[in-house]
Amino acid sequence: MLKNSMLFRQLIYTISLSGFCCQVAAQSVNTSSAAVWTGYFYSIPVTEKWKILGDAQFRSKYGFSQLSQILARSGVSYAIQPNWTISAGAAYFKSSGQLHNENIFLDEYRLWQENAVQFYFHHITLSNRTRWEERWLQKKLEDGTNSFSYANRWRNKTTLTFPFSAVYSGEVGSEVMVVANQSNAVDLLRAFAGIYMVCKPSFIVQLQYLYQCQYKSIDAIHYRDNQHIVRLNIIQKFPQKL
């Protein structure tokens, strides 16, 4: 019970922090946009405790009008307990940017490690995922040459899921991302709500609304980018082969 109450307090603190940080950012330059993200997530059991997992995503911005980001991520997970897993892996991102008012695409390479736990209360599941990322981000210099900068980022995501029926379930949650080596420590804040449809135990469709607040500082000007995102994901859980 002590662990459960601590996790509930963590959820409250995360949501409170999100609101506070967005209030601070609201004193700065504000932009707003709509986006559509699609993704395919998979997990492949190797043994009872080990899994291969990953995802591939396509992200647009301004509706479908402009490609924002594509990514591929993969790793392995180990189940310490049925409700407690640790994972690690690597990822590749290609994200849109600008140079001399022209759209360009920049590479990013990541290593990541995470710890995830679930707590069950009758039919309700409370999940908490903490992830640490090591990131190498490409920079395009004014003369056209390339360089890479390094950054660490810590992420904490809390999700509450609850069933509507044997086929449909809902979710609400939030995520905060903190960067270690930049002036504005809070990088991204997210709040989301969605619904899952279980087509069969190994094949699930997720429809989600995601609000994302990104806080940036450029030349002593503070920007808050408000993104309203519709996500459509396919989740495939392969059965373990005997």
Side-chain angles (χ1 to χ4, degrees), residues 40-44 52-55 73-74 234 236-238:
Y40 171 73
F41 294 76
Y42 66 89
S43 62
I44 305 172
I52 299 170
L53 49 84
D55 63 282
R73 179 167 35 209
S74 188
I234 302 298
Q236 190 165 9
K237 300 179 181 181
F238 290 91

Side-chain angles (χ1 to χ4, degrees), residues 22-53:
C22 284
Q23 280 186 337
V24 172
Q27 301 172 7
S28 308
V29 177
N30 284 272
T31 59
S32 184
S33 62
V36 177
W37 293 2
T38 59
Y40 171 73
F41 294 76
Y42 66 89
S43 62
I44 305 172
V46 179
T47 67
E48 289 186 358
K49 289 185 173 290
W50 288 96
K51 287 183 181 179
I52 299 170
L53 49 84

Side-chain angles (χ1 to χ4, degrees), residues 157-159 171-175 190-194 208-211:
K157 178 181 178 181
T158 305
T159 308
E171 66 168 355
V172 293
S174 65
E175 183 174 18
R190 290 175 173 174
F192 55 87
Q208 184 187 78
Y209 165 74
L210 171 67
Y211 166 73

Side-chain angles (χ1 to χ4, degrees), residues 44-52 77-85 239-242:
I44 305 172
V46 179
T47 67
E48 289 186 358
K49 289 185 173 290
W50 288 96
K51 287 183 181 179
I52 299 170
S77 70
Y78 177 77
I80 299 174
Q81 298 288 341
N83 68 326
W84 178 16
T85 60
Q240 182 175 342
K241 294 183 179 180
L242 300 176

Side-chain angles (χ1 to χ4, degrees), residues 50-195:
W50 288 96
K51 287 183 181 179
I52 299 170
L53 49 84
D55 63 282
Q57 297 186 48
F58 173 94
R59 298 174 174 179
S60 71
K61 60 183 178 181
Y62 311 120
F64 282 106
S65 63
Q66 186 174 332
L67 176 63
S68 173
Q69 190 176 69
I70 57 174
L71 68 95
R73 179 167 35 209
S74 188
V76 294
S77 70
Y78 177 77
I80 299 174
Q81 298 288 341
N83 68 326
W84 178 16
T85 60
I86 55 174
S87 308
Y92 170 72
F93 288 68
K94 185 173 281 290
S95 305
S96 64
Q98 279 200 334
L99 180 66
H100 304 308
N101 295 320
E102 293 185 4
N103 292 329
I104 60 173
F105 285 92
L106 303 172
D107 296 326
E108 178 186 345
Y109 302 92
R110 292 185 193 176
L111 297 177
W112 57 271
Q113 308 82 38
E114 75 174 37
N115 180 78
V117 293
Q118 293 84 39
F119 295 91
Y120 305 102
F121 307 91
H122 300 290
H123 298 294
I124 297 174
T125 302
L126 182 62
S127 305
N128 190 79
R129 186 195 74 186
T130 301
R131 178 179 290 177
W132 184 260
E133 297 174 334
E134 298 85 35
R135 308 170 67 200
W136 289 265
L137 300 100
Q138 182 184 14
K139 288 186 173 182
K140 203 80 167 179
L141 303 181
E142 291 295 323
D143 60 3
T145 59
N146 296 318
S147 67
F148 281 85
S149 62
Y150 175 78
N152 292 317
R153 185 164 69 178
W154 174 84
R155 305 170 59 164
N156 192 78
K157 178 181 178 181
T158 305
T159 308
L160 194 68
T161 57
F162 41 89
F164 297 129
S165 67
V167 176
Y168 297 98
S169 60
E171 66 168 355
V172 293
S174 65
E175 183 174 18
V176 59
M177 305 186 196
V178 177
V179 177
N181 53 348
Q182 67 182 34
S183 57
N184 50 299
V186 177
D187 183 36
L188 282 173
L189 297 166
R190 290 175 173 174
F192 55 87
I195 188 168

